[in-house]
Amino acid sequence: MILSQICPKLFHTEISHNGVTINIGPYKVNICSTIHNVAQDIYRLYDVYEAEIHADFADIYIQIEQGSGFRRFFKRQAIFNNDGTQPFTPLPIDQAYAQFEWGLNWAIANQSHQYLMIHSAVIEKNGKVVIMPGAPGAGKSTLCSALVNNGWRLFSDELALISLEDLSVTPVPRPISLKNESIDIIKNFVAKPIFGKVAYDTHKGTVSHLKAPLESVQRANEIAPAQWVILPQYQASSKTKLTEFSKGHTFMEVAQQTFNYHILGATGFEVLSDLIQQCDCYRFNYSALPEAIELFDSLV
Amino acid sequence: MWQIDKQNRFIIKKLADEAIIFDRYSGSTHLLDTLSSEILTLLQSQPHGLGDLAQNLKVKFEFPSDKVLNFSLEQHLLSLSSQGFIVNYPSDTFPDLPETLSH
């Protein structure tokens, strides 16, 4: 069933007791939280996803719970728990939803070595995928948000999942994490955007999550081959410029943005070199989103 | 006589006119320029002497003079050697190779 078909009252009861299992790309994620903001944002941002209550099995189990003892009353905290471990320092309770999304990135990255995983925004159009790796601050989420709300399909804002068998890219569409000025830029650029609650003073600054487009979620099981690797860089007042970039240098930059290249060893090297070989590689400088969209559209 | 350190140690992939090399021993990856890439490709097929390497490179690349070619080749060999990718063995280590391939 679709998550929004679960009545809000039942949803809140289930998520705070047994957890609710949501299909997110190739993963079944069981989320359990007694924190009201987490439940509220999940209901708002994941309402179009397939979901189950009382599911027999999930790939990933996540709990976001309130701190115990005096932390239930004073400077309340949220604690992330994945399969019985607490890998992160507790965060202020206002950041609980952001903590869920960051923690889910971590959980996926820790148990998906059937893929080469690249820290990257990934979009698709006409059956061809663009992989946009980038360090934090490169502007990949802003660009990705603009593109997926203008005809491109969202695969992911965070993770390129590359098959070790055939190099295909698997979608895992989720809400897009926007930071600081990007939040207002996208609020003003996208028609009727739906955002989660804003978390202030996080280690990344102000953060809010933009709901993934419906079509991207509905087509989450449609894999596609990568055609381009584009390294984006936002620069205020810069001209929109797509510059060919050598495959060797692209390889080295992308390798730095992978989660498990070092774990996969020679296989990771073979897969990444084959991926770079099959893609056209570019650097992309931009500041104006309409021009950026026009340029990306011209690729396909 | 120059040769790849150990035949199974490295994976070399050509990407356009560059190459990347993966070291199975250390798990490290390196980017190589065109000339280094060509030298490694030649050495992957079989060990080569300095003169033979120079002959091969002369056919594929344009150098202003033999002096520049030899200087550039020696610099690249030194660099590849210092990174542990290739080693220089005395030529009598390979008694079966033709005379032209010896240093």
Side-chain angles (χ1 to χ4, degrees):
Chain A
M1 96 179 46
I2 303 298
L3 193 141
S4 61
Q5 291 172 333
I6 304 172
C7 89
K9 199 173 173 183
L10 177 63
F11 174 81
H12 279 82
T13 306
E14 288 299 326
I15 199 168
S16 59
H17 289 91
N18 306 311
V20 172
T21 302
I22 303 176
N23 293 358
I24 304 174
Y27 306 99
K28 283 180 181 288
V29 182
N30 182 277
I31 306 149
C32 187
S33 181
T34 52
I35 299 171
H36 185 67
N37 285 349
V38 173
Q40 221 173 21
D41 270 355
I42 284 172
Y43 200 78
R44 179 187 302 157
L45 300 179
Y46 284 91
D47 63 342
V48 295
Y49 289 67
E50 289 281 338
E52 286 176 84
I53 49 176
H54 306 302
D56 294 335
F57 166 80
D59 300 293
I60 297 169
Y61 288 86
I62 288 175
Q63 285 179 297
I64 308 281
E65 294 302 334
Q66 292 191 53
S68 57
F70 78 99
R71 285 292 189 194
R72 291 190 77 82
F73 311 101
F74 177 70
K75 290 190 176 177
R76 294 194 302 150
Q77 290 183 327
I79 299 169
F80 176 89
N81 188 315
N82 170 225
D83 284 344
T85 60
Q86 294 174 3
F88 306 120
T89 309
L91 292 179
I93 204 152
D94 293 345
Q95 299 175 19
Y97 180 77
Q99 186 187 39
F100 159 70
E101 290 288 352
W102 297 331
L104 182 54
N105 292 337
W106 178 85
I108 290 173
N110 260 312
Q111 61 180 69
S112 303
H113 301 305
Q114 69 274 36
Y115 302 107
L116 174 69
M117 288 176 282
I118 304 168
H119 181 219
S120 172
V122 188
I123 55 173
E124 177 269 346
K125 197 171 194 179
N126 295 349
K128 293 171 181 174
V129 166
V130 184
I131 297 174
M132 296 193 286
K140 62 180 174 11
S141 297
T142 315
L143 181 60
C144 176
S145 303
L147 287 164
V148 301
N149 283 284
N150 283 277
W152 288 75
R153 176 157 70 109
L154 174 69
F155 266 45
S156 175
D157 168 46
E158 289 286 345
L159 286 165
L161 301 178
I162 313 296
S163 163
L164 303 182
E165 307 294 326
D166 61 9
L167 305 182
S168 60
V169 190
T170 296
V172 52
R174 288 164 51 199
I176 299 172
S177 170
L178 289 166
K179 296 172 273 295
N180 305 315
E181 297 83 9
S182 299
I183 299 168
D184 282 336
I185 290 171
I186 292 301
K187 272 183 181 168
N188 293 326
F189 189 76
V190 171
K192 297 179 183 172
I194 295 175
F195 276 90
K197 282 201 168 56
V198 179
Y200 298 96
D201 300 324
T202 77
H203 67 287
K204 298 182 179 190
T206 302
V207 172
S208 187
H209 287 79
L210 173 69
K211 186 175 168 179
L214 173 65
E215 192 200 346
S216 301
V217 177
Q218 288 174 333
R219 295 176 60 196
N221 59 353
E222 291 180 32
I223 62 172
Q227 179 81 31
W228 298 278
V229 174
I230 298 178
L231 303 162
Q233 183 61 59
Y234 172 82
Q235 270 179 314
S237 311
S238 75
K239 284 186 179 170
T240 305
K241 195 173 161 192
L242 191 68
T243 318
E244 214 168 303
F245 195 46
S246 88
K247 286 179 184 276
H249 283 86
T250 304
F251 179 101
M252 296 306 280
E253 291 222 5
V254 175
Q256 302 229 348
Q257 298 296 331
T258 55
F259 290 99
N260 60 343
Y261 176 78
H262 60 295
I263 293 170
L264 296 172
T267 304
F269 176 81
E270 297 273 5
V271 168
L272 184 54
S273 55
D274 290 347
L275 179 77
I276 298 295
Q277 191 72 269
Q278 83 173 26
C279 290
D280 299 324
C281 304
Y282 297 97
R283 280 195 176 285
F284 180 60
N285 289 77
Y286 78 98
S287 61
L289 289 173
E291 283 180 23
I293 292 168
E294 199 180 320
L295 196 144
F296 269 71
D297 285 346
S298 73
L299 288 174
V300 292
Chain B
M1 184 68 76
W2 290 97
Q3 71 164 44
I4 298 276
D5 181 28
K6 287 183 179 61
Q7 282 299 331
N8 282 331
R9 176 171 172 182
F10 300 109
I11 311 174
I12 303 167
K13 292 264 186 175
K14 289 203 94 170
L15 290 174
D17 54 1
E18 296 166 319
I20 40 171
I21 180 167
F22 180 76
D23 184 346
R24 283 195 172 96
Y25 287 12
S26 66
S28 59
T29 308
H30 307 264
L31 175 64
L32 303 175
D33 64 14
T34 314
L35 203 56
S36 297
S37 152
E38 192 57 39
I39 292 168
L40 279 182
T41 307
L42 286 167
L43 296 183
Q44 254 194 328
S45 60
Q46 62 178 37
H48 282 68
L50 192 63
D52 201 47
L53 280 173
Q55 278 299 325
N56 274 286
L57 295 178
K58 200 174 175 178
V59 174
K60 295 200 171 180
F61 301 96
E62 278 185 25
F63 291 91
S65 66
D66 285 355
K67 200 174 166 187
V68 174
L69 162 62
N70 289 332
F71 178 75
S72 186
L73 176 56
E74 281 178 23
Q75 292 298 307
H76 277 79
L77 289 171
L78 206 63
S79 166
L80 289 168
S81 166
S82 69
Q83 291 177 83
F85 299 150
I86 59 173
V87 286
N88 190 12
Y89 287 115
S91 56
D92 58 4
T93 313
F94 309 101
D96 297 335
L97 289 173
E99 185 67 19
T100 52
L101 295 183
S102 59
H103 187 153

